Amino acid sequence: MDETVRLRCVRRTYGTGAGAVTALDDVTIGFAAGTFTAIMGPSGSGKSSLLQCAAGLDRPDSGSVVVAGVELTGLSEKRLTLLRRESIGFVFQTFNLLPMLTAAQNVALPARLAGRRPDRAAIARALAEMGLAGRERHRPSELSGGQQQRVAIARALVTRPAVVFADEPTGALDSGASRDVLAKLRDLVDTQRQTIIMVTHDPVAAAHADRVVFLADGRLVGELTAPTAETVAARMTRLELAAC
Ligand code: ADP
Ligand code: MG
């Protein structure tokens, strides 16, 4: 199968000695191109650590991470930054937009930071895909939370990355805005074969994915394909009970 992201035997430990915490304990998993995966698990189970290692924002202690055919472990910081810029989009729970910039300027920022001329047509297209045509000149304070998150997704998409990672992208949104954001993410997968990997604790959000993988104590403990909110919620309840 054509996999955009593959982790093999990934370990990540924070701290040393008696206080050491194993956030990822020998994780092996692949993410097929053009699919939408949700990652779930109790708080502290390693979801964010998995996303950060897979996105080249953090380095595992051991194991292998391959994104778009490139082995990330062992790359210099410079090469890793270049690869992240070209091939990886990241969406945060808190949007991380700059308040003094317009929507279009926020989407253009990664290109500017890379010393390149922003591609106006690509920026307009990414914003339009997120339902934000006509909002290009609005500043974040003039947009709703859901619109701000859609600007952040446009920013992640503008380079047409091989994979978009999202860590709790609906965690700061009300249910209506969450639905809009999730529908847009689903659309990207269905119409453009965008590969998306999303951490969430919301079974309704996870039900938008093709597959849900469950983590507990830094290990993969199961998965569901064609998830529904009900099947996801039932599995999460079992995991949370087991963690007590
Ligand atoms: P999740 O996103 O599932 O809540 P995390 O990946 O954030 O879990 O964390 C997994 C474990 O690693 C937790 O026990 C957490 O406290 C620990 N951890 C995460 N980041 C750090 C860090 N920077 N320093 C120390 N411990 C950390
Ligand atoms: Mg987290």
Side-chain angles (χ1 to χ4, degrees):
M1 198 177 4
D2 177 15
E3 283 180 341
T4 302
V5 178
R6 167 141 287 266
L7 280 69
R8 197 153 18 86
C9 305
V10 168
R11 278 183 170 278
R12 178 70 171 103
T13 302
Y14 297 105
T16 52
V21 173
T22 302
L24 295 175
D25 188 3
D26 204 16
V27 171
T28 295
I29 187 170
F31 300 92
T35 64
F36 187 178
T37 307
I39 298 173
M40 297 194 85
S43 180
S45 58
K47 304 181 295 296
S48 293
S49 300
L50 175 59
L51 221 58
Q52 304 253 332
C53 285
L57 292 170
D58 188 20
R59 290 180 188 271
D61 299 316
S62 59
S64 149
V65 179
V66 176
V67 176
V70 179
E71 172 65 59
L72 302 195
T73 52
L75 285 187
S76 67
E77 275 309 315
K78 193 171 167 204
R79 295 284 308 280
L80 195 56
T81 301
L82 288 176
L83 182 109
R84 274 203 311 264
R85 226 173 247 162
E86 297 297 329
S87 304
I88 295 172
F90 207 98
V91 178
F92 302 89
Q93 178 172 347
T94 49
F95 324 144
N96 292 10
L97 300 176
L98 291 187
M100 61 291 214
L101 300 184
T102 66
Q105 288 167 340
N106 267 289
V107 176
L109 192 61
R112 285 205 186 281
L113 290 175
R116 287 198 310 252
R117 186 197 301 269
D119 178 341
R120 281 171 175 277
I123 291 166
R125 183 180 154 212
L127 284 166
E129 272 168 3
M130 286 297 115
L132 293 166
R135 309 270 174 182
E136 293 83 355
R137 298 165 80 89
H138 287 56
R139 287 179 213 283
S141 61
E142 299 164 330
L143 297 169
S144 70
Q147 289 171 332
Q148 290 181 57
Q149 188 61 303
R150 284 184 279 128
V151 173
I153 296 168
R155 178 181 57 189
L157 273 180
V158 71
T159 59
R160 300 293 139 185
V163 53
V164 171
F165 294 96
D167 196 348
E168 303 261 14
T170 59
L173 303 178
D174 63 36
S175 60
S178 294
R179 257 199 311 277
D180 289 346
V181 162
L182 292 161
K184 292 286 185 239
L185 293 175
R186 183 70 246 175
D187 234 34
L188 291 171
V189 179
D190 292 338
T191 64
Q192 305 191 34
R193 291 197 79 232
Q194 177 66 57
T195 308
I196 299 181
I197 303 171
M198 170 180 79
V199 165
T200 182
H201 62 261
D202 176 6
V204 174
H208 287 73
D210 301 303
R211 174 170 74 134
V212 184
V213 298
F214 295 90
L215 276 178
D217 295 328
R219 291 170 177 266
L220 289 173
V221 291
E223 65 175 73
L224 281 174
T225 46
T228 66
E230 291 72 27
T231 56
V232 172
R235 185 73 69 99
M236 276 302 291
T237 304
R238 288 217 301 277
L239 277 182
E240 270 157 4
L241 287 174
C244 288

